[in-house]
Amino acid sequence: MNNISNNQMMNHVFVDAVEANSDLIVLTSDSRGSAKLTEFGDKFPNHLIEVGIAEQNIVGIAAGLAHSGKRPFAVSPAPFLSMRSIEQIKVDVAYSKTNVKLVGVSGGVSYAQLGMSHHSLQDFAVTRAIPNIQVLCPADRYETEAMFKQLLVTETPAYIRLGRNAVEDVYESSEYGFEIGKANLLRDGTDVLLIGIGETVRIAIDAALSLAVKGISAAVLNISSLKPFDSDTVIEKAKKIGKVITIEEHSIYGGLGSAVAECLSIEIGIKHKIIGFPDEELVTGSAKELFNYYGLNPSSIADEAVKLLG
């Protein structure tokens, strides 16, 4: 099991990049510990700004720094950054096309025991509905590394969601040809197409392995870029296979499942099952307990695939 979280990999990328990019500024909202940015702050105190628990301010300050020629990354817990600051994200960043990278850490149900106020299960829905902003979510530490290296040189506003804990690797290294806006086929198959985002990509792979034991051939597609969205690849694979399951650590409304349904809506005869968190207040428990309770685990996904196949 990998012991390096996506947050820690982000820290490593920043540490390696800051000497060559003096304009890099990282902002935190009393969150450098949970974002694993303590090393970066200790080594480069002049490149880290702590604004305190003030998520709306962190976005405004980051936008001001961007207009001053800096390259700001605003790092804050996803449930607060994506909801409390959404007006500032819409106006100060997206509407103005300001080059701010908004990093929502501890996304999804990372703060599961703290309840609905600390869940970010609507962040994909609200951010992808705003023009001029990319919406990204890496599957593992290697994709995080590749993604942040690109974000350091791009000029487009972006919202990036990261989880809290380390996840099992999906890739063997960061040198696999990551590209913002492109889906990545991890495993080909003929019977069912499993599409994941973020931490659910590993779940999709494990479900595919479980299905293979039963003689069912499952393809696995990683959507790390929810916006821009690779509709061409999704449609191409879905049309060939005919049966699709999307898996996401998000509400069943407005996220990956909705994006896939939108692009498949003009296609006839494709069955599509959305697996995510239901439109209700969730039970209390750890993140793993919530994943299992709501069917976001390999065995439950495999069962749903069998049902979809009839």
Side-chain angles (χ1 to χ4, degrees):
M1 176 66 180
N2 157 49
N3 292 319
I4 300 176
S5 69
N6 294 351
N7 292 340
Q8 289 171 305
M9 184 58 78
M10 172 182 64
N11 174 79
H12 295 334
V13 173
F14 288 159
V15 168
D16 291 342
V18 68
E19 292 183 348
N21 188 347
S22 60
D23 290 328
L24 172 61
I25 301 291
V26 178
L27 303 92
T28 60
S29 57
D30 195 31
S31 53
R32 76 171 70 183
S34 59
K36 307 301 182 185
L37 289 169
T38 301
E39 179 192 6
F40 179 82
D42 290 344
K43 287 186 175 181
F44 306 102
N46 292 332
H47 289 267
L48 188 140
I49 298 174
E50 174 58 69
V51 305
I53 304 175
E55 289 82 6
Q56 294 164 323
N57 287 345
I58 201 174
V59 177
I61 294 168
L65 288 167
H67 285 298
S68 301
K70 300 299 182 182
R71 186 171 286 276
F73 282 72
V75 183
S76 181
F80 313 131
L81 181 65
S82 65
M83 289 296 165
R84 191 172 296 161
S85 313
I86 197 63
E87 175 69 13
Q88 285 72 27
I89 291 172
K90 182 177 75 170
V91 177
D92 296 348
V93 177
Y95 178 75
S96 305
K97 299 180 182 178
T98 308
N99 186 19
V100 174
K101 312 305 186 192
L102 303 150
V103 185
V105 297
S106 300
V109 292
S110 297
Y111 292 137
Q113 295 96 328
L114 298 178
M116 187 175 177
S117 65
H118 283 62
H119 298 165
S120 60
L121 298 177
Q122 299 80 30
D123 52 342
F124 292 158
V126 68
T127 52
R128 79 181 188 94
I130 298 174
N132 305 326
I133 187 168
Q134 297 175 338
V135 182
L136 311 172
C137 184
D140 69 357
R141 55 174 170 162
Y142 293 122
E143 188 161 55
T144 299
E145 180 182 10
M147 180 181 291
F148 274 83
K149 284 181 176 178
Q150 287 197 17
L151 291 168
L152 283 166
V153 297
T154 62
E155 302 296 326
T156 306
Y159 171 77
I160 309 99
R161 185 218 269 189
L162 301 180
R164 184 175 180 85
N165 300 312
V167 294
E168 189 176 346
D169 291 338
V170 170
Y171 298 98
E172 295 182 355
S173 79
S174 60
E175 304 298 323
Y176 68 92
F178 170 81
E179 183 180 347
I180 292 173
K182 295 297 292 183
N184 187 231
L185 185 67
L186 299 173
R187 179 185 176 93
D188 211 350
T190 56
D191 295 325
V192 63
L193 174 60
L194 307 179
I195 306 179
I197 184 171
E199 295 183 20
T200 65
V201 175
R202 183 68 247 179
I203 295 173
I205 293 172
D206 292 340
L209 295 173
S210 176
L211 287 167
V213 175
K214 302 176 182 180
I216 297 172
S217 175
V220 177
L221 193 64
N222 172 21
I223 302 287
S224 57
S225 179
L226 198 54
K227 186 180 180 182
F229 188 75
D230 190 357
S231 297
D232 290 343
T233 298
V234 170
I235 291 172
E236 177 188 358
K237 296 303 298 181
K239 286 176 70 174
K240 286 182 179 179
I241 297 174
K243 296 175 178 62
V244 178
I245 295 177
T246 51
I247 311 144
E248 59 192 312
E249 187 181 358
H250 188 272
S251 166
I252 55 173
Y253 298 133
L256 172 66
S258 295
V260 170
E262 288 158 14
C263 76
L264 294 182
S265 62
I266 60 173
E267 304 297 331
I268 298 175
I270 296 176
K271 292 184 178 181
H272 175 201
K273 170 73 175 179
I274 297 175
I275 297 177
F277 286 98
D279 185 34
E280 63 189 42
E281 186 175 343
L282 305 186
V283 300
T284 301
S286 68
K288 183 177 181 179
E289 288 170 336
L290 264 62
F291 268 62
N292 287 330
Y293 185 86
Y294 291 104
L296 278 79
N297 58 61
S299 61
S300 295
I301 303 301
D303 290 344
E304 290 294 339
V306 171
K307 291 178 185 177
L308 193 66
L309 291 167

